[in-house]
């Protein structure tokens, strides 16, 4: 039977009149922020996920604005081309619209070859693709809102776990990057969904969801319904929210491909086995002559500090290790001592690739690059180069 995910957290009830007043105050408080969307439907999302707490909502939004600038998110659709393997095998597509004109996304996560995907791209490219897809969907919603005159600010999300196996669940890189993607999405794309349907959930899903749940906002949890393998049950629930002509026959609707395919494979990416020709080449890393060597004892961490004197400077990095299992992150400190993460601690388990990237340092403050060794028993040697390019 379908279950609505719930939590014991207590939420303050805010009247519509009070909400309107708080929204106006919030807009004044963040007037200096350069938002990707200044419509009320977008702005109010930050208040909703923080239960209309002005201080917490503003803190969350400002951190996201900083994250967007540091990672070049506003330009990603025009300046970044995703790896072909993700375009072809990442199992998520927009199929139609629900009864409220919100786009319907179907993610066939159970059919995806997560090992193949994660052996074919770097972690950075994978997470950038998550951002890319989110930005693409939001751009489509904004365009549709302008064309139709309707406010469209949410999505209906169908997660199909048919085929989800123990082998997938036990693949640690998949678990870790999945949680990292959820944390990033919840921090920067709040209140995105109108409804979330998880269908064909196996018994093992209960354990998987227990690991994910702590990273989801309560407003997200309130919108999630979980169903097992009873198609009659979950298709009936879907059709309450989505017209039949907006759903493939496979999911209880009437839509088919021109050739009669009930899964609408021409419109939906269903995942599938990733050919090994896409796999990244595995080779022993060779430190470059300009790199600096750093040794970490078991379970220790090292912080490298960089004083940025000119806003919008570029901090670039590259590093490698022959030992793997290294945590890498970048943050800066506010004047009040508060830490602001720009690159969340990302675990690098791959012994054979060069990790590289860059961020825009939007503020002239002290930036901290941090390396952390997970293994408490073994020391690690890292070779790295970090440079600052002025604008």
């Amino acid at each position: 039977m379908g279950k609505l995910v719930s939590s014991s957290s207590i939420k303050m009830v805010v009247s519509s009149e009070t909400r309107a007043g708080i929204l106006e105050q919030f807009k004044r408080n963040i007037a200096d922020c350069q938002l990707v969307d200044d419509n009320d439907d977008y702005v109010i999302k930050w208040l909703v996920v923080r239960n209309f707490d002005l201080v917490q909502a503003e803190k969350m939004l400002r951190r996201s604005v900083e994250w967007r600038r540091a990672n070049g998110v506003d330009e990603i659709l025009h300046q970044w081309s995703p790896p072909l393997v993700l375009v072809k095998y990442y199992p998520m597509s927009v199929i139609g619209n629900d009864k409220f004109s919100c786009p319907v996304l179907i993610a066939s996560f159970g059919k995806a070859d997560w090992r193949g995907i994660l052996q074919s791209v770097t972690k950075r490219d994978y997470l950038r693709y998550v951002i890319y897809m989110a930005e693409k969907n939001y751009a489509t919603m904004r365009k549709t809102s302008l064309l139709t005159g309707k406010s469209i600010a949410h999505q209906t999300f169908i997660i199909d776990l048919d085929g989800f196996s123990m082998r997938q669940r036990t693949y640690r890189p998949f678990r870790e990057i999945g949680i990292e993607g959820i944390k990033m999405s919840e921090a920067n794309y709040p209140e995105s969904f109108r409804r979330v349907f998880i269908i064909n959930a196996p018994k093992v899903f209960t354990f998987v969801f227990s690991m994910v749940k702590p990273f989801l906002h309560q407003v997200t949890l309130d919108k999630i319904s979980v169903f097992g393998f009873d198609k009659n049950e979950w298709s009936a629930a879907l059709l309450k929210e989505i017209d039949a002509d907006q759903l493939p026959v496979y999911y209880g609707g009437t839509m088919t491909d021109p050739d009669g395919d009930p899964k609408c494979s021409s419109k939906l990416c269903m995942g599938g086995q990733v050919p090994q020709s896409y796999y990244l080449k595995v080779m022993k890393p060779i430190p470059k002559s300009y790199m600096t060597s750093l040794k970490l004892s078991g379970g220790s961490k090292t912080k490298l500090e960089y004083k940025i004197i000119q806003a919008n400077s570029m901090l670039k990095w590259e590093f490698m290790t022959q030992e793997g299992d290294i945590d890498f992150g970048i943050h800066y400190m506010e004047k009040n001592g508060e830490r602001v993460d720009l690159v969340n601690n990302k675990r690098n388990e791959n012994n054979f690739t060069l990790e590289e990237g860059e961020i825009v340092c939007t503020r002239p403050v002290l930036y901290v690059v941090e390396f952390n060794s997970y293994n408490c028993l073994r020391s690690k040697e890292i070779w790295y180069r970090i440079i600052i390019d002025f604008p």
Side-chain angles (χ1 to χ4, degrees):
M1 182 176 181
K3 297 183 293 182
L4 186 68
V5 176
S6 61
S7 174
S8 59
S9 62
I10 299 174
K11 295 188 292 182
M12 179 180 68
V13 178
V14 182
S15 69
S16 57
E17 294 81 4
T18 303
R19 287 186 176 209
I22 295 175
L23 174 60
E24 291 305 313
Q25 180 62 56
F26 186 55
K27 288 161 65 177
R28 290 192 290 271
N29 293 354
I30 62 169
D32 62 305
C33 293
Q34 295 181 346
L35 302 181
V36 65
D37 186 347
D38 58 4
N39 287 322
D40 286 359
D41 288 329
Y42 175 79
V43 175
I44 200 171
K45 291 182 175 189
W46 304 89
L47 289 168
V48 171
V49 295
R50 287 294 179 257
N51 206 16
F52 284 81
D53 183 318
L54 276 169
V55 174
Q56 293 302 318
E58 182 177 349
K59 181 185 295 185
M60 180 184 181
L61 183 141
R62 288 186 180 277
R63 284 186 174 181
S64 182
V65 169
E66 185 75 12
W67 171 83
R68 294 183 68 90
R69 293 176 63 190
N71 290 281
V73 175
D74 288 349
E75 297 80 32
I76 194 170
L77 293 180
H78 310 291
Q79 297 183 3
W80 186 72
S81 297
L84 181 60
V85 66
L86 291 174
V87 176
K88 293 183 67 173
Y89 293 97
Y90 188 82
M92 187 168 70
S93 310
V94 176
I95 191 61
N97 298 293
D98 66 15
K99 294 181 179 181
F100 297 85
S101 299
C102 299
V104 175
L105 285 78
I106 297 180
S108 303
F109 283 170
K111 298 292 188 182
D113 177 12
W114 294 110
R115 288 175 180 264
I117 289 173
L118 294 177
Q119 290 183 69
S120 302
V121 295
T122 64
K123 183 180 292 187
R124 175 177 171 80
D125 275 348
Y126 179 91
L127 291 173
R128 285 194 72 76
Y129 191 64
V130 173
I131 298 169
Y132 180 91
M133 292 292 286
E135 292 295 312
K136 185 177 179 181
N137 291 338
Y138 268 88
T140 300
M141 286 192 290
R142 286 193 289 269
K143 183 178 179 180
T144 304
S145 295
L146 291 174
L147 291 175
T148 63
K150 297 180 180 179
S151 175
I152 301 171
H154 299 88
Q155 307 161 81
T156 290
F157 196 22
I158 302 170
I159 301 174
D160 186 359
L161 294 180
D162 184 30
F164 188 74
S165 66
M166 181 67 71
R167 185 171 183 267
Q168 291 173 320
R169 182 182 72 80
T170 56
Y171 186 47
R172 190 168 74 176
F174 169 59
R175 296 200 312 269
E176 292 180 345
I177 204 168
I179 290 174
E180 193 168 336
I182 288 170
K183 290 166 66 176
M184 179 181 69
S185 297
E186 288 287 271
N188 299 289
Y189 302 98
E191 184 63 347
S192 295
F193 302 114
R194 196 182 73 78
R195 291 295 307 273
V196 179
F197 297 95
I198 300 174
I199 63 174
N200 296 319
K203 291 182 179 179
V204 71
F205 174 74
T206 302
F207 174 76
V208 174
F209 194 65
S210 67
M211 295 189 295
V212 171
K213 191 174 177 180
F215 303 107
L216 296 173
H217 299 310
Q218 184 58 41
V219 291
T220 302
L221 290 170
D222 290 343
K223 298 175 181 180
I224 298 176
S225 297
V226 182
F227 296 86
F229 291 93
D230 187 339
K231 182 175 180 178
N232 290 331
E233 183 183 23
W234 55 251
S235 62
L238 294 179
L239 289 170
K240 287 182 180 179
E241 306 290 338
I242 308 164
D243 287 328
D245 64 355
Q246 298 294 302
L247 270 179
V249 169
Y250 181 76
Y251 290 103
T254 59
M255 185 188 297
T256 64
D257 271 348
D259 63 359
D261 180 1
K263 293 185 178 180
C264 296
S265 301
S266 69
K267 302 181 182 72
L268 288 179
C269 178
M270 303 295 287
Q273 194 75 20
V274 176
Q276 291 191 10
S277 58
Y278 285 105
Y279 286 17
L280 298 174
K281 292 182 179 180
V282 177
M283 59 184 66
K284 185 176 180 179
I286 301 175
K288 300 177 181 178
S289 59
Y290 55 72
M291 287 181 161
T292 300
S293 175
L294 169 66
K295 288 189 176 181
L296 287 178
S297 57
S300 67
K301 64 176 63 176
T302 292
K303 296 181 179 181
L304 307 173
E305 298 182 343
Y306 298 87
K307 178 66 175 178
I308 302 300
I309 59 175
Q310 190 170 349
N312 297 320
S313 296
M314 190 76 72
L315 188 154
K316 300 180 179 181
W317 69 87
E318 53 183 321
F319 71 91
M320 62 175 63
T321 173
Q322 292 181 345
E323 302 295 332
D325 212 16
I326 291 293
D327 196 54
F328 172 79
I330 301 176
H331 66 272
Y332 70 79
M333 305 301 296
E334 294 277 18
K335 292 181 180 179
N336 61 5
E338 185 175 348
R339 170 173 169 155
V340 178
D341 289 308
L342 297 174
V343 177
N344 290 327
N345 290 331
K346 300 199 297 186
R347 194 167 185 171
N348 172 42
E349 294 182 336
N350 198 330
N351 304 344
F352 305 105
T353 59
L354 175 71
E355 291 285 331
E356 54 188 339
E358 61 186 31
I359 61 168
V360 179
C361 300
T362 59
R363 304 182 61 181
V365 295
L366 184 69
Y367 284 72
V368 180
V369 176
E370 188 172 308
F371 291 102
N372 179 27
S373 172
Y374 272 98
N375 194 317
C376 295
L377 301 178
R378 298 178 61 185
S379 61
K380 310 287 175 65
E381 186 168 12
I382 301 168
W383 292 271
Y384 71 92
R385 181 175 75 155
I386 298 172
I387 60 174
I388 308 297
D389 281 347
F390 295 108

